Amino acid sequence: MTLPMTAPTTLARWERRTQGPLLALAVLFAIAYAIPIVAPRAPQDLLTACHVANWAVWAAFAADYSVRLWLAEDRLRFVRGNPLALLAVVLPLAQPLRLLKLVSMLFLAGQRARMASQVRVTTYVAGSCLGLLVFGALAVLEVERDEPGASIHTLGDAVWWAFTTMTTVGYGDMAPTTGLGRMLAVGLMLSGIALLGVVTANIAAWFIARFEKDDVEERRQTEAIRELTDEVRALRGELAALKRTPAE
């Protein structure tokens, strides 16, 4: 009797097939999110299309989460094991907190990217740093630009502020004045510290692995030389024994 395909196998196949399209949709979301902030005076049709694209991408990720939940063998375990994905799907419904959609896409896209075994830690960290820098700049620009007394008015100002905040340099020449902007600053600071720690640990691990590899190679060469030396000594002993043996 042929056994039916198990749910984990079906789930794994679904995740493998949808990973690429969903990451492409995440890039589309990033573009659609950035255009209204960078070019607020763009044609209304373009701004409307960006708004529709934002919600369409969120709907695609929400549908993906629903399908994965349905395919999971233990659905309660799946929900417990993917709390960020659930929050990312639910939080954007709490309007008018528009920034929650940004957080949602970062959570979901990051989760799907981690499923790819070929993605290395260094590449993932570099992408996370770039993503936090760009989206942090866009988010604070959207929040601060029209506020009275704000010091962040252009995209260049926002990128400079995000970079100095992520690296915890904090020159103080620019700073958010709103509560939400300061919350973004706290998030960028903590994220920057965490990512810098990951980068440092990854570099240290690379050096340690390199040194261990060199040590293994050196020990292998030393063992080979010792074996060769023993063989040469044995041959010398045999030759010496032959010389001492009287000719018949």
Side-chain angles (χ1 to χ4, degrees):
M1 182 178 64
T2 303
L3 295 176
M5 183 177 293
T6 60
T9 301
T10 308
L11 177 60
R13 291 176 60 188
W14 171 267
E15 290 175 342
R16 184 173 62 252
R17 291 178 179 177
T18 58
Q19 174 182 284
L22 286 177
L23 290 178
L25 286 177
V27 174
L28 174 62
F29 173 86
I31 297 173
Y33 179 83
I35 289 176
I37 300 175
V38 176
R41 296 181 178 83
Q44 186 60 39
D45 291 343
L46 178 59
L47 298 179
T48 302
C50 291
H51 180 73
V52 172
N54 284 340
W55 281 108
V57 172
W58 171 84
F61 275 96
D64 171 70
Y65 179 85
S66 300
V67 172
R68 288 192 293 145
L69 177 62
W70 181 69
L71 293 175
E73 185 177 41
D74 188 342
R75 294 173 183 172
L76 182 59
R77 182 178 180 182
F78 177 84
V79 173
R80 290 178 177 176
N82 299 273
L84 293 181
L86 178 60
L87 288 175
V89 171
V90 173
L91 283 178
L93 299 177
Q95 293 286 31
L97 298 180
R98 182 172 179 266
L99 287 176
L100 291 177
K101 287 189 293 184
L102 171 60
V103 177
S104 300
M105 291 304 104
L106 290 176
F107 280 158
L108 290 174
Q111 184 190 50
R112 296 311 299 269
R114 286 196 296 272
M115 292 178 185
S117 59
Q118 71 273 15
V119 178
R120 298 185 179 183
V121 175
T122 303
T123 304
Y124 181 74
V125 170
S128 300
C129 290
L130 181 60
L132 283 172
L133 176 66
V134 173
F135 282 114
L138 291 172
V140 79
L141 179 62
E142 181 183 21
V143 172
E144 294 286 324
R145 178 166 47 195
D146 298 326
E147 293 296 321
S151 58
I152 301 173
H153 302 283
T154 65
L155 181 61
D157 294 340
V159 171
W160 172 252
W161 170 84
F163 185 82
T164 57
T165 301
M166 281 187 62
T167 56
T168 66
V169 174
Y171 288 111
D173 53 343
M174 297 176 187
T177 57
T178 63
L180 186 54
R182 290 171 180 171
M183 289 177 61
L184 288 170
V186 171
L188 277 179
M189 291 176 196
L190 295 178
S191 301
I193 293 172
L195 288 173
L196 287 175
V198 171
V199 171
T200 302
N202 193 40
I203 294 175
W206 182 85
F207 275 111
I208 292 173
R210 184 69 180 179
F211 291 149
E212 289 179 349
K213 183 179 179 180
D214 292 342
D215 290 341
V216 170
E217 182 65 20
E218 184 177 353
R219 287 195 297 269
R220 189 187 67 80
Q221 292 177 358
T222 301
E223 183 67 21
I225 292 173
R226 188 176 65 208
E227 292 177 357
L228 182 61
T229 302
D230 293 339
E231 291 179 1
V232 171
R233 288 176 179 173
L235 289 174
R236 286 179 177 177
E238 293 177 1
L239 289 173
L242 290 174
K243 289 179 178 179
R244 290 194 298 269
T245 302
E248 295 181 356

